Amino acid sequence: MAVLAGRRRVRARVEGVVQGVGFRPFVYRIARELGLAGWVRNDERGVLVEVEGDSAAVDAFLARLEADAPPLAAVERVTPSERLTTGEPSFRILDSARGGEPDALVAPDTATCADCLAELRDPGDRRHRYPFINCTNCGPRFTIVRDVPYDRARTTMAAFIMCDACRREYEDPADRRFHAQPNACPDCGPSLRLVGAGGAVLGLRDEALRAAAAALADGGAVVAVKGLGGFHLACRADDEDAVAALRARKHREDKPFALMVSSAEGAGRLVALGGAERRLLEGPDRPIVLAPRHDGAPVARAVAPGCAELGVMLPYSPLHHLLLDDAGVPLVMTSGNVSDEPIVYEDDDALARLAAVADLFLLHDRPIQTRTDDSVLRVVRGRPLALRRSRGQVPRSQALPVAARRPLLACGAELKSTFCVARGARAWVGPHVGDLANWETLRSFRDGIAHFERLFAVTPEVVAHDLHPSYLSTAYALERGDLVPVGVQHHHGHLAACLAEHAETAPAVGAVFDGTGYGTDGTVWGGELLVGDLVGFERVGHLRAVRMPGGEQAIRQPWRMACAWLQDAGVRAPALARRVGAERWAAVAQLARGALAAPLTSSMGRLFDAVGALCLGRLEVTFEGQAAVELEAAAATAPGARGAYPLPLTADLVLDPRPTIAAATADVAAGRPAGVIAARFHHAVARATAQACARAAEGAGVSTVVLSGGVFQNRLLAEETAALLGAARLRVLLPERLPPNDGGIAFGQAAVAAARLAARAG
Ligand SMILES: [Zn+2]
Ligand SMILES: [Zn+2]
């Protein structure tokens, strides 16, 4: 039989985020438009398509696969190959294939799209006020996925049987809900119920929603609301009593609460939003964005005591939209947990653990597979800087600049813990897990790793871990049987994470400032000047080390660090000593002189603590880095403050803050405003850091500087240091998608392990 002139058949393998994002109906549509026959289906690696027809139409099809992909798709690669024509008459969508190695990328959860929002608010629509409306362009993804390929049967929607109307949408390639796995309606999908603290059901469906909104709006109630990745605790943001009650019941003394506001305009009335903040706020991943609070913003003081900024987010699920519409006021929406426990995500657990916190529980019957907190970021130098990377970001893959020759797992640090699995050039960083100190977080960490290994078909052969021998993540890594361990120094992990995120493999100077990290010499590092690349590093300078009187206790009581630095500088601060109590002060000063119960530390975070205690009189903190946050907030009140305290640099690149401490103490004694003292201290650290980096860069013959570590969450410090380095013609890299704090460590460890494997293989 003669082959028709110009007729061809091509198979194309499409990789990237192409499942659960309306990719197959899109393929179906363009194939039909171009008059092509063939088929498309999901499989473990993404989407596989074959088209047959006119040769020019096939070329046009291949071009449009990438160019016109649907909004939530992220096509990483299209690999076409010629096939023999079969004379197939039409184009079809086939069922998913299973078997082999899954490599399809699960999409993150995505905010309700404009089309669904319009239907939600349309009284004539069959999903009017239906809190679980979604389509192929929006809705839950990662938080409901149990396994791949991404199909309804392998999500937490499996138990809901679609009604005829939903089924028709689901099966119609021309419909916006074609193969929308969480597709549902009031007749067949999940539904709400409102439960009292005693467990009594107080309302169902829309009645539950309206009652919850009314209790929030006028009752001063605290309501536990089940969302996409876990529970929130909600109350009116402008109600001082409700917020104070929430704070007391949650045992959270000072850590700021996030707010949910119905629109960007509404958010703009509470905080100053620049263009970048606004774009992030309205983006499909809907993070919490930190922005400067307006004076007189109608927000209770107890929402964010001592902070110059508020964390705001927009509604991202239909339930949130309805709740905000009905309540008519901005709401506190903070993680549903008590103290530092991980966010609650199961109904029974919520009713048990949040019983003493919430007055009401707004529950629904769609299970959450993976607990996922809200992501948090702020804008620094006009770019996003992640503080917590979770919902909306996870499980987006992150490229490794040096591909992993063997599949690997990286276990991260201890606080703000995350993990990372990697295969080839791709790494997947897990959601924020939190402080590994308690059993519940450790379980979450272990389960999360197992889930990611299955979802992304990573069977690790190598495990990267922190050098700290008593981190639970290190213990877990070493427990993992016959995996080859790769120890990565903490601050090298920070440096590598930032280099890898920016696809940089050449050596750079890294100023890595944080609270605590285990140094190669056994002391506590945290004010480090490194020169290194992904494979290794050299410590070329650091903050002068002092004793940390009482070890860990000095983290909770910053006055101990002030005492140590004052002693080192030979300076007295009688007012502070009096506040602490003469005897206690003398005992701690004694500790600061000797090695007993007082490890040496070069931590920049601890220096910020010391200055926070000196200038703000902050004696105790309830979360790590609190003194630094307050110091930055104070500095923001004195934007024009001139002068920097002296912070000299020795010949061997040691930053010596003794004169800084002396000058700050003198200003405190002279009654200078705290804002001015805080600003002068920030200027001093920025200048000394820029100078030290410039000298290190010259010495090593490199021109790139990385600023990372938790201390660089401080916008004032990061921007001023970066500007000075830029003026010195150095290229500055700051973390963006991965946090500068320990939430970025796992990715850095993975990048180091991959680079070392490649270097060893030569
Ligand atoms: Zn939608
Ligand atoms: Zn239905």
Side-chain angles (χ1 to χ4, degrees):
M1 195 180 93
V3 174
L4 288 172
R7 193 172 165 91
R8 256 165 94 200
R9 187 176 182 94
V10 166
R11 169 180 283 197
R13 146 87 39 222
V14 188
E15 291 166 280
V17 180
V18 290
Q19 291 186 6
V21 293
F23 203 83
R24 287 173 304 164
F26 151 73
V27 168
Y28 177 88
R29 210 169 49 246
I30 57 173
R32 300 278 283 239
E33 276 172 32
L34 292 164
L36 297 170
W39 50 261
V40 59
R41 74 164 179 234
N42 281 348
D43 66 9
E44 288 77 5
R45 292 179 60 194
V47 162
L48 194 63
V49 49
E50 287 196 11
V51 285
E52 176 170 337
D54 176 70
S55 182
V58 170
D59 288 335
F61 174 85
L62 292 174
R64 287 184 62 186
L65 265 187
E66 271 193 87
D68 297 345
L72 296 185
V75 176
E76 289 184 356
R77 195 163 40 216
V78 176
T79 318
S81 57
E82 298 291 331
R83 284 286 193 270
L84 290 175
T85 55
T86 66
E88 194 170 358
S90 63
F91 196 90
R92 291 169 301 151
I93 295 177
L94 304 181
D95 286 340
S96 298
R98 204 163 148 70
E101 191 176 71
D103 202 13
L105 306 185
V106 177
D109 300 84
T110 303
T112 312
C113 72
D115 290 334
C116 285
L117 208 47
E119 290 169 356
L120 183 71
R121 289 173 175 155
D122 174 4
D125 193 275
R126 70 187 191 94
R127 292 190 181 86
H128 178 232
R129 288 185 62 84
Y130 181 56
F132 304 94
I133 187 170
N134 67 84
C135 72
T136 45
N137 298 323
C138 73
R141 295 288 186 276
F142 171 68
T143 54
I144 61 166
V145 168
R146 293 198 158 125
D147 205 348
V148 284
Y150 175 68
D151 260 333
R152 191 172 178 107
R154 285 177 286 273
T155 69
T156 62
M157 284 296 291
F160 296 94
I161 309 298
M162 270 184 269
C163 68
D164 289 346
C166 285
R167 170 67 58 189
R168 273 196 298 279
E169 296 166 335
Y170 184 86
E171 288 174 352
D172 177 2
D175 196 278
R176 201 172 90 246
R177 298 199 165 87
F178 175 75
H179 281 226
Q181 305 306 345
N183 188 30
C185 78
D187 292 335
C188 66
S191 63
L192 291 176
R193 65 186 192 282
L194 186 67
V195 174
V201 176
L202 306 175
L204 295 173
R205 299 172 171 260
D206 205 40
E207 190 197 336
L209 185 65
R210 289 184 193 275
L216 285 167
D218 44 57
V222 172
V223 182
V225 180
K226 185 176 178 183
L228 282 186
F231 278 76
H232 281 123
L233 289 162
C235 72
R236 265 186 90 119
D238 59 356
D239 185 330
E240 208 63 73
D241 294 338
V243 179
L246 174 56
R247 212 167 255 298
R249 296 182 202 168
K250 213 169 126 67
H251 302 297
R252 177 141 138 173
E253 289 163 46
D254 301 303
K255 225 170 176 177
F257 290 150
L259 304 178
M260 189 176 274
V261 188
S262 61
S263 66
E265 290 67 43
R269 285 193 281 277
L270 307 183
V271 292
L273 293 179
E277 278 95 354
R278 202 182 159 110
R279 272 192 301 282
L280 291 167
L281 204 56
E282 294 186 304
D285 46 347
R286 294 287 159 102
I288 295 170
V289 178
L290 301 188
R293 172 192 188 127
H294 285 313
D295 288 338
V299 171
R301 275 287 145 197
V303 165
C307 295
E309 299 192 318
L310 292 173
V312 293
M313 66 180 144
L314 299 185
Y316 52 83
S317 78
L319 173 58
H320 295 147
H321 281 285
L322 295 169
L323 202 58
L324 267 287
D325 286 355
D326 288 5
V329 286
L331 299 176
V332 164
M333 283 290 238
T334 184
S335 302
N337 57 6
V338 176
S339 202
D340 288 328
E341 290 176 3
I343 185 169
V344 173
Y345 70 112
E346 290 164 319
D347 295 4
D348 293 348
D349 200 32
L351 288 167
R353 277 166 61 196
L354 302 179
V357 185
D359 303 303
L360 296 167
F361 293 80
L362 188 56
L363 305 177
H364 62 73
D365 51 357
R366 184 181 69 204
I368 297 169
Q369 176 65 26
T370 305
R371 121 186 330 136
T372 315
D373 288 79
D374 294 317
S375 293
V376 185
L377 47 82
R378 79 195 298 196
V379 173
V380 173
R381 294 169 88 212
R383 304 285 307 161
L385 179 101
L387 305 183
R388 183 166 74 198
R389 181 185 176 280
S390 211
R391 192 224 358 111
Q393 304 285 335
V394 176
R396 209 167 273 154
S397 72
Q398 190 70 41
L400 287 174
V402 177
R405 289 169 178 245
R406 299 166 74 182
L408 58 89
L409 163 69
C411 294
E414 177 99 333
L415 302 174
K416 298 187 168 67
S417 157
T418 51
F419 57 84
C420 175
V421 295
R423 178 159 49 80
R426 272 204 202 114
W428 294 271
V429 180
H432 165 87
V433 175
D435 185 347
L436 281 190
N438 69 59
W439 183 86
E440 180 72 12
T441 22
L442 195 60
R443 185 180 70 103
S444 203
F445 178 76
R446 289 168 179 275
D447 291 354
I449 290 173
H451 190 46
F452 267 52
E453 287 179 1
R454 198 172 56 244
L455 280 189
F456 304 112
V458 177
T459 309
E461 294 172 16
V462 172
V463 62
H465 61 82
D466 199 277
L467 295 182
H468 202 303
S470 54
Y471 276 1
L472 289 174
S473 58
T474 305
Y476 171 85
L478 300 178
E479 262 169 35
R480 285 282 306 243
D482 44 2
L483 305 193
V484 180
V486 176
V488 178
Q489 197 278 326
H490 190 86
H491 303 92
H492 184 216
H494 278 303
L495 169 63
C498 185
L499 288 173
E501 177 183 353
H502 292 282
E504 184 56 78
T505 53
V509 170
V512 184
F513 296 169
D514 66 358
T516 306
Y518 194 80
T520 52
D521 58 2
T523 70
V524 181
W525 289 10
E528 308 310 309
L529 216 57
L530 313 179
V531 171
D533 57 13
L534 298 176
V535 177
F537 75 100
E538 191 190 342
R539 187 195 200 201
V540 298
H542 56 86
L543 184 70
R544 178 183 165 85
V546 286
R547 296 280 166 195
M548 224 172 129
E552 295 278 301
Q553 267 184 299
I555 298 175
R556 289 183 293 275
Q557 300 177 335
W559 65 267
R560 288 172 178 263
M561 288 313 301
C563 181
W565 275 114
L566 285 162
Q567 170 122 333
D568 192 42
V571 176
R572 286 168 178 281
L576 183 62
R578 251 195 320 279
R579 283 198 54 212
V580 171
E583 241 173 81
R584 218 166 156 215
W585 184 269
V588 166
Q590 178 70 35
L591 279 182
R593 277 192 291 273
L596 205 66
L600 271 174
T601 185
S602 54
S603 164
M604 184 62 83
R606 297 290 86 81
L607 179 64
F608 270 78
D609 284 354
V611 175
L614 270 175
C615 124
L616 304 170
R618 167 61 75 186
L619 299 188
E620 309 250 346
V621 294
T622 57
F623 60 95
E624 214 219 345
Q626 185 179 353
V629 170
E630 290 173 353
L631 210 55
E632 185 189 0
T637 65
R642 289 208 209 157
Y645 295 135
L647 206 177
L649 199 57
T650 67
D652 45 356
L653 289 187
V654 174
L655 284 82
D656 182 356
R658 287 176 298 177
T660 327
I661 292 289
T665 308
D667 267 356
V668 172
R672 194 105 42 208
V676 173
I677 300 171
R680 288 179 173 175
F681 173 67
H682 276 81
H683 298 328
V685 175
R687 285 183 198 185
T689 303
Q691 251 175 37
C693 288
R695 267 178 47 191
E698 202 186 332
V702 302
S703 57
T704 301
V705 176
V706 164
L707 303 178
S708 191
V711 170
F712 282 105
Q713 294 175 130
N714 183 317
R715 172 163 47 206
L716 188 61
L717 180 68
E719 290 186 340
E720 191 172 340
T721 310
L724 292 167
L725 287 167
R729 301 190 170 280
L730 289 161
R731 171 177 170 241
V732 182
L733 298 179
L734 276 164
E736 293 184 11
R737 294 179 297 267
L738 277 308
N741 58 48
D742 286 3
I745 288 280
F747 178 64
Q749 291 171 344
V752 169
R756 286 193 188 154
L757 286 173
R760 215 167 296 154

